[in-house]
Amino acid sequence: YIPYGGYWSTPFCRWQESLAEKHSIQLAGQVAKSFLGSREIDPTSFESLHLGTTVLQSSGFYGAPWLASMLGAEMITGPTVSQACATSARLLAGAALEIETGLRSRSLLVACDRTSNGPHVYYPAPNAPGGTGRAENVVMDSFNRDPNAKVAMIQTAENVAKHCNIGREEQDEVALMRYQQYAEALADDRAFQKRYMVPVELPRGRRESKWVEADEGVFPTTAEGLAGLRPVMEGGTVTFGSQTHPADGNAGMIVTSKDAAKELSRDNAVTIKVLSYGEARVEKAHMPMAVVPAAQHALQRAGLKFTDLKAIKTHNPFAVNDVYFARETGVAASDMNRFGSPMIWGHPQGPMGLRAIIELIEELVMAGSGRGLFAGCAAGDTAMAVTIEVC
């Protein structure tokens, strides 16, 4: 169970903007401590802390125990999880399984990443000719080459577009729709986002601070603007307007037993239950396809069908993902990702899924009740999915 209001996300900032120089784990600790303090929740009341992060940060070797200490919970520990864009779903699945089996009754999940200023790693090779080792740009090289498929992630989208005859025009239509849905989240002075989003304080000297209160780097999108963009790859169909952008940010969530969720909930009339999770892997270099079998797997475990769902959120690094998902499931592209999606608000791998699940919960709460699905692809032609029920 997830206590209503027992979750948060910072704004997501396009890489090299306001969060570009903040250590992602330390920033996550700052935000989590502030959130728990605002809710008067004692950090030591948790029995474990699950940290999700995918981009190396200094001292990240100490992971979840270090983050717990930042919160003042010196005696708790837990795993540090890294599963590319499936990191958040894996965090939630792992914590929920511990709760269900009785190993824990209260766990805190925190996910964070900073794609800005990613680390450059040198792997020594003293026995190589000249003793020269190998260097890696952790962020860019991860995006640009799957060591198994030998292609960049964008090539997997182009492969699916070609295989399924998904053209440029159809992708642009979905990209514009996703931007318009995101604009709905900004209505009434960002009323929807303020249901879960917390500002980030960035000290500027001893007496001054800058506050980051909203997403940074989301560009206005029009049909004409999309039509004027050239494909990223020569001869391709995906443009910078029909794919996501790297970003920085963090998010968190409390997962507990049913009784503890009532105690920590902002409104005891709302019950949020984690129903199931699913995962899948598909043909090499066809990553966007994996979302469909992962979603089907999660629904099967929960005893649900797509027609039972009131809301759907997808991790869609490419518009191709949602076009394919809609074709294969029969769910209209317009019936998913209300209030926006990672394609628009950005792609910090670790926390991105957690923010999408939080938005899914809030959408179901606004609807009064219902079941929802989050599903998204991840590196290695894989995907994970989670189903939620709000009563």
Side-chain angles (χ1 to χ4, degrees), residues 285-297:
H286 287 74
M287 181 179 70
M289 288 183 170
V291 184
V292 172
Q296 292 169 333
H297 189 195

Side-chain angles (χ1 to χ4, degrees), residues 128-151:
T132 302
R134 182 173 65 87
E136 180 182 39
N137 181 325
V138 172
V139 173
M140 295 302 296
D141 289 350
S142 296
F143 291 161
N144 289 329
R145 191 173 189 273
D146 177 341
N148 179 51
K150 306 296 191 295
V151 299

Side-chain angles (χ1 to χ4, degrees), residues 2 92 271-278 294-314 325 331 335-338 353 356-365 367-376 384-391:
I2 301 167
L92 183 54
T271 301
I272 306 165
K273 186 177 183 180
V274 182
L275 297 179
S276 68
Y277 78 95
Q296 292 169 333
H297 189 195
L299 291 174
Q300 181 183 21
R301 281 180 162 173
L304 299 174
K305 300 177 182 179
F306 283 103
T307 53
D308 296 321
L309 301 174
K310 190 170 285 187
I312 297 174
K313 281 283 189 179
T314 64
F325 189 91
V331 177
D335 288 340
M336 62 183 87
N337 289 316
R338 186 185 177 195
I357 293 169
I358 290 168
E359 289 198 353
L360 175 68
I361 291 170
E362 286 295 344
E363 184 178 343
L364 291 171
V365 170
S369 65
R371 302 180 184 97
L373 168 76
F374 163 75
M384 283 196 71
V386 175
T387 62
I388 301 284
E389 181 176 38
V390 171
C391 300

Side-chain angles (χ1 to χ4, degrees), residues 45-190:
S45 67
F46 295 106
E47 297 163 335
S48 67
L49 189 151
H50 299 238
L51 171 64
T53 185
T54 75
V55 181
L56 296 173
Q57 297 281 268
S58 61
S59 302
F61 177 81
Y62 291 90
W66 180 31
L67 181 58
S69 296
M70 294 182 206
L71 306 182
E74 292 280 353
M75 304 309 293
I76 68 171
T77 185
T80 301
V81 176
S82 179
Q83 196 174 339
C85 299
T87 296
S88 285
R90 179 61 67 188
L91 277 183
L92 183 54
L97 285 168
E98 286 189 354
I99 301 293
E100 185 170 357
T101 56
L103 295 175
R104 299 280 189 266
S105 63
R106 298 185 185 207
S107 292
L108 178 65
L109 282 56
V110 177
C112 61
D113 261 329
R114 186 187 73 185
T115 61
S116 298
N117 305 316
H120 295 251
V121 180
Y122 179 78
Y123 300 95
N127 294 326
T132 302
R134 182 173 65 87
E136 180 182 39
N137 181 325
V138 172
V139 173
M140 295 302 296
D141 289 350
S142 296
F143 291 161
N144 289 329
R145 191 173 189 273
D146 177 341
N148 179 51
K150 306 296 191 295
V151 299
M153 286 189 175
I154 190 172
Q155 183 65 62
T156 71
E158 293 290 2
N159 289 349
V160 174
K162 182 178 180 180
H163 180 79
C164 300
N165 194 28
I166 299 173
R168 165 73 182 271
E169 184 177 344
E170 197 169 5
Q171 293 177 52
D172 285 354
E173 288 176 359
V174 169
L176 180 60
M177 182 191 306
R178 295 292 174 254
Y179 177 78
Q180 292 169 340
Q181 291 169 316
Y182 177 79
E184 187 179 353
L186 305 182
D188 300 322
D189 192 27
R190 300 178 42 247

